[in-house]
Amino acid sequence: MTPPGERWLDREAGPLVRPYALTRGRTRPEGAGFALIAVVAATGAPPGDRLRYSPDHARVLRGCSRPVAVVDLAADLGLPLGVVRVLLGDLRDEGLVAVVEEARPAEGRRPPSGVLREVLNGLRAL
């Protein structure tokens, strides 16, 4: 048994709970996935059975109180992107979050040549 003040944390390695434990072994959300730059937001629907959700589900839901990109949400919460996607999938299935804006590639548009040049120079520097 862990003494009352002791936390499950290794100072060098971080939390000892592995990502697959947070998602109950799932690596992908059920249904459609979430693009990195897809914007998600809470729908405002009240969460039903609170016992079904983990504290991490609640953190993700709070993080979606305003529209936020999936990748930014993962960074803000300090959780792996795959974990955030699975938890978002659970919340989406319950109607608690929704994708507000899908990432769509611009058709027929190219980035300015300066951007392409900088990318090329960066690749050469590697």
Side-chain angles (χ1 to χ4, degrees):
M1 178 151 175
T2 306
E6 190 175 324
R7 297 184 66 198
W8 281 65
L9 183 73
D10 180 350
R11 294 195 195 287
E12 294 177 19
L16 295 177
V17 177
R18 301 289 185 235
Y20 61 81
L22 298 174
T23 62
R24 289 181 251 140
R26 297 172 294 152
T27 58
R28 297 182 189 271
E30 293 180 17
F34 294 91
L36 287 174
I37 58 174
V39 177
V40 294
T43 61
D49 183 11
R50 292 183 185 269
L51 296 177
R52 179 174 180 195
Y53 301 108
S54 70
D56 291 304
H57 281 99
R59 287 180 57 210
V60 169
L61 187 57
R62 279 192 306 271
C64 293
S65 61
R66 59 173 175 72
V68 62
V70 173
V71 70
D72 291 335
L73 180 63
D76 291 346
L77 297 176
L79 290 172
L81 183 61
V83 169
V84 170
R85 284 176 165 166
V86 170
L87 298 177
L88 279 171
D90 294 343
L91 295 170
R92 178 192 54 206
D93 293 346
E94 295 296 321
L96 299 174
V97 298
V99 175
V100 176
E101 183 179 328
E102 280 290 333
R104 293 185 207 125
E107 293 182 28
R109 293 184 60 205
R110 292 179 48 193
S113 62
V115 172
L116 294 175
R117 192 173 299 114
E118 287 181 39
V119 169
L120 184 58
N121 290 338
L123 290 172
R124 287 181 181 151
L126 293 175

